[in-house]
Amino acid sequence: MPEVTSYQPGTPCWIDLMVPDQQAALDFYSGLFGWEAEVGPPEAGGYAICTLKGKPVAGAMSAQSMSGEGPPPTVWTTYFCSADAQATSEAISRAGGTVLLPVMDVMDLGRMVVAADPLGAVFGVWQPLGFSGAGLVNEPGTLIWNELNTTDREAASAFYAEALGLESTPMEGAEGYFALSVDGRTVGGLQPLREGMPPEVPPHWLVYFAVEDADRAAAKVSAEGGTVLRPPYDMIAGRMSLVKDPQGAPFALIAPKPMS
């Protein structure tokens, strides 16, 4: 079901974008995916909740430099559902991860943590209170997949199993690719960083958006000032393309094969 009202702990439940020019990003993604979005209220720090068909699908915020540090990277962040953000934060530390943003309350909506795994891939944790996360997924214009690209598959698998309860198993029909699952249900993927990738590309979580036509969507990204990093190609799950938005945030587009 594309509509979602709750998530099992360990499941990706939300994504958001940190970007230098928030309004430009909202305009770009609204044009690409048909989202409705506007800068949020001051009490929320301007955080924007992007919606499709009246359901929340993603967030976007202006990048804020920390004192004495440069601006943060322009990236999409994957958040995993947690029943207890504090307990998950402690599990992350025990498993060798680094807590970058300690547990904090987000009004009456939930509690969040931002952390990095031992290989450096950054992710978030969300304990829902008044807000469960994405209310619409797996259909055009919404989140459909979250994928970890890492330099050490075994170390990453061990970390996410201990910290978030994610099990890693080889994915049938996709050599070198691993499914991440919660209680037997696949919720994401894991693969080694591709050979030939620039050395400056660190381990990272990649967000996939569903589209009806990957070629048309990639062409639109390019026409609107973004970059097509890998032109559309056919793969086991459908036809996909790897792109960057005009401000440099990478993401993937996929026109999924019909479910059998």
Side-chain angles (χ1 to χ4, degrees):
M1 290 290 290
E3 291 191 17
V4 184
T5 56
S6 64
Y7 288 88
Q8 188 173 1
T11 305
C13 64
W14 187 242
I15 53 171
D16 66 18
L17 176 68
M18 185 174 289
V19 66
D21 188 333
Q22 183 188 27
Q23 187 60 60
L26 298 180
D27 292 342
F28 170 79
Y29 286 98
S30 295
L32 182 62
F33 296 135
W35 294 352
E36 294 186 3
E38 59 183 31
V39 176
E43 60 267 26
Y47 191 93
I49 300 290
C50 307
T51 63
L52 184 67
K53 300 180 181 178
K55 303 289 185 182
V57 293
M61 58 184 161
S62 294
Q64 302 293 327
S65 297
M66 303 295 285
S67 58
E69 299 181 10
T74 303
V75 293
W76 281 99
T77 299
T78 292
Y79 291 79
F80 295 86
C81 183
S82 169
D84 185 330
Q86 183 61 47
T88 301
S89 177
E90 293 168 4
I92 288 168
S93 295
R94 285 197 304 272
T98 303
V99 175
L100 304 174
L101 182 66
V103 179
M104 64 175 289
D105 295 317
V106 182
M107 298 182 287
D108 58 352
L109 302 176
R111 309 187 79 203
M112 67 173 285
V113 178
V114 177
D117 69 25
L119 291 313
V122 175
F123 63 95
V125 171
W126 180 252
Q127 178 187 339
L129 296 174
F131 180 77
S132 60
L136 193 67
V137 297
N138 301 339
E139 68 173 57
T142 70
L143 175 69
I144 191 170
W145 192 245
N146 302 80
E147 175 185 272
L148 176 64
N149 292 266
T150 185
T151 50
D152 189 330
R153 184 198 63 79
E154 291 185 357
S157 295
F159 169 79
Y160 287 99
E162 183 175 351
L164 297 175
L166 288 166
E167 182 183 6
S168 171
T169 55
M171 182 171 281
E172 186 176 349
E175 184 177 355
Y177 199 91
F178 292 78
L180 295 171
S181 61
V182 175
D183 291 340
R185 186 174 69 87
T186 300
V187 299
L190 183 159
Q191 67 176 356
L193 272 170
R194 290 193 191 96
E195 289 187 17
M197 290 284 281
E200 66 270 17
V201 176
H204 62 276
W205 280 93
L206 181 66
V207 170
Y208 284 63
F209 293 102
V211 293
E212 293 181 345
D213 186 320
D215 294 77
R216 188 167 65 235
K220 187 171 181 63
V221 168
S222 182
E224 296 299 326
T227 305
V228 177
L229 299 173
R230 188 171 184 185
Y233 65 99
D234 296 315
M235 40 83 82
I236 186 172
R239 188 164 176 80
M240 70 166 285
S241 179
L242 182 61
V243 300
K244 277 187 178 182
D245 72 19
Q247 298 184 67
F251 61 97
L253 302 164
I254 184 166
K257 290 180 179 178
M259 296 293 288
S260 58

